[in-house]
Amino acid sequence: MGILDFLKRKPEPTAAVAKERLRIIVAQERSTRGAPDYLPLLRNELLEVIKKYVHVDLEAININVERDSGHEILELSVALPEHAEAKPG
Amino acid sequence: MTAEIIVVTSGKGGVGKTTTSASLATGLAMAGKKVAVIDFDVGLRNLDLIMGCERRVVYDFVNVVHGEATLKQALIKDKRYENLYVLAASQTRDKDALTQEGVEKVLEELGKEGFDYVVCDSPAGIEKGAHLAMYFADHAVVVVNPEVSSVRDSDRILGLLSSKTRRAERGDGAIKQHLLLTRYNPARVAVGEMLSVKDVEEILGINVVGVIPESENVLAASNAGVPVILDDNSHAGQAYSDTVARILGEERAMRFLDAPKKGFFQRVFGG
């Protein structure tokens, strides 16, 4: 730290932000790794259907493929917003 | 006899794959191994420049695969080490010039010719060239920079290595994966501007086999066509030497992870 440092604008310590973002995205991508290619499309179409009834966005839908010996489980969860109101027909 | 096949890969471009391939192959040759280093980047030949043999390329990898030249004719003998050979990439624009069978045949022939190691310099991306470079590998060196897109791509490559390779398909035991962190700047890590070795290891869940500090000597070496591992005075060259020794099973402590101490004038006036 030099006495002339105040003349230079200090860059933000951003490594922590990078690490946190990577931690989340890497975990998410690992969970769908090797899953069928139609998964993102399936997710979008499900969203369209659900949207007919409740307001949710893409992040509310979580799809997971789990492999057990011999069979695969497609796990789907939808987080409904609080006080979800049914859309009028 | 079969050669040990090492792929140098990364997903993202520009992180130092070719620099690493050249130094790794040269380092293995310095350790007395018979080594061939192959450029898999069809259409964008560059390993020849980094190895400094660009004017001696007559036949290339695709010529050998298509039977237009023998392997012996296409292998370029290194001027510095007689047990080191380069096989250049083709400059053809035909992306399908390489086939899995063709690559397998060349690798088998190298084994029969008594090569101990074949280093496969992968193109960027996850398309055919990258797939072929990693498919037959026994070891993988995944080159990563301490930067978000590179780290994310490396994770994807690590996933492909454990599923889309011959070893994975046959259940022959996993590819030995080595993570190599390059362009590391300890001073920026110290002030929290750059992901640290530990951060990258934690995110990817794998320990590094080496850390190459960011260094002006890397550009100088590529300008001259001399693999940077031959520059004993540079930290980057020394870090590559350590990395090769570790890949060969030696234990070496990590060096150059801390920012150099600042002198009096630097402390007073900054910089």
Side-chain angles (χ1 to χ4, degrees):
Chain A
M1 197 72 62
I3 51 170
L4 301 180
D5 275 358
F6 67 91
L7 294 174
K8 290 188 286 188
R9 208 152 56 87
K10 269 278 190 202
E12 295 275 320
T14 49
V17 181
K19 186 180 179 186
E20 185 57 16
R21 290 174 62 216
L22 278 168
R23 212 179 49 73
I24 293 165
I25 193 69
V26 164
Q28 189 195 318
E29 287 178 346
R30 281 182 187 175
S31 73
T32 53
R33 182 179 289 167
D37 287 343
Y38 58 72
L39 226 55
L41 200 64
L42 174 72
R43 189 156 105 140
N44 283 334
E45 285 188 28
L46 280 169
L47 179 69
E48 291 308 310
V49 174
I50 293 165
K51 263 188 174 165
K52 282 188 190 170
Y53 303 94
V54 259
H55 275 296
V56 291
D57 42 47
L58 201 56
E59 273 102 73
I61 303 181
N62 194 15
I63 296 186
N64 234 326
V65 181
E66 298 240 349
R67 259 175 223 87
D68 227 343
S69 50
H71 62 280
E72 285 176 68
I73 302 166
L74 181 68
E75 201 178 61
L76 177 87
S77 69
V78 182
L80 293 177
E82 273 180 63
H83 315 297
E85 274 177 44
K87 277 176 134 183
Chain B
M1 256 188 41
T2 55
E4 289 273 306
I5 298 166
I6 307 179
V7 61
V8 177
T9 185
S10 70
K12 191 177 181 299
V15 297
K17 280 185 296 298
T18 302
T19 299
T20 298
S21 298
S23 282
L24 172 59
T26 305
L28 291 169
M30 289 161 84
K33 311 289 182 190
K34 188 172 178 186
V35 186
V37 54
I38 307 181
D39 190 346
F40 273 75
D41 204 346
V42 173
L44 293 168
R45 173 196 292 168
N46 272 322
L47 178 67
D48 54 338
L49 273 177
I50 305 302
M51 292 294 294
C53 64
E54 70 278 6
R55 293 182 60 191
R56 293 191 289 138
V57 178
V58 181
Y59 295 110
D60 60 53
F61 192 15
V62 170
N63 290 141
V64 179
V65 166
H66 288 184
E68 294 150 4
T70 63
L71 184 58
K72 271 209 172 93
Q73 287 175 310
L75 284 173
I76 305 162
K77 195 175 189 168
D78 185 75
K79 280 189 190 151
R80 298 155 289 235
Y81 292 91
E82 58 170 17
N83 48 337
L84 174 60
Y85 295 81
V86 179
L87 186 53
S90 164
Q91 286 290 43
T92 172
R93 278 186 292 172
D94 178 11
K95 287 262 175 201
D96 296 318
L98 290 181
T99 59
Q100 191 157 302
E101 298 72 38
V103 172
E104 184 174 20
K105 237 182 96 196
V106 170
L107 294 176
E108 273 176 8
E109 206 179 328
L110 286 167
K112 283 188 201 129
E113 291 291 326
F115 279 86
D116 300 304
Y117 286 94
V118 179
V119 176
C120 301
D121 182 20
S122 173
I126 52 171
E127 312 243 326
K128 194 174 177 189
H131 171 73
L132 287 175
M134 71 165 70
Y135 188 73
F136 298 101
D138 303 301
H139 297 252
V141 175
V142 177
V143 184
V144 61
N145 289 171
E147 179 272 327
V148 285
S149 45
S150 176
V151 173
R152 180 199 209 170
D153 287 359
S154 310
D155 191 62
R156 187 126 167 71
I157 288 292
L158 290 167
L160 293 175
L161 285 167
S162 52
S163 62
K164 307 281 184 201
T165 53
R166 185 165 69 173
R167 275 178 170 272
E169 284 175 9
R170 287 185 176 172
D172 278 354
I175 286 191
K176 184 105 183 66
Q177 297 175 339
H178 310 276
L179 187 68
L180 180 65
L181 188 55
T182 62
R183 302 211 161 149
Y184 195 67
N185 186 329
R188 301 197 73 182
V189 172
V191 292
E193 287 172 27
M194 184 181 267
L195 291 166
S196 68
V197 180
K198 201 164 145 275
D199 290 340
V200 176
E201 287 181 333
E202 268 178 44
I203 294 161
L204 296 176
I206 164 175
N207 289 338
V208 297
V209 71
V211 178
I212 313 297
E214 191 170 48
S215 157
E216 52 202 44
N217 303 90
V218 174
L219 180 61
S222 81
N223 285 342
V226 179
V228 71
I229 195 170
L230 292 172
D231 182 355
D232 309 329
N233 296 323
S234 74
H235 288 179
Q238 292 170 35
Y240 269 118
S241 295
D242 289 351
T243 302
V244 174
R246 288 187 204 108
I247 289 173
L248 285 170
E250 230 178 277
E251 291 224 358
R252 295 241 180 138
M254 292 285 172
R255 293 192 277 173
F256 320 118
L257 297 189
D258 297 313
K261 292 263 186 303
K262 284 185 175 180
F264 172 74
F265 282 102
Q266 275 180 314
R267 261 187 284 132
V268 175
F269 296 107

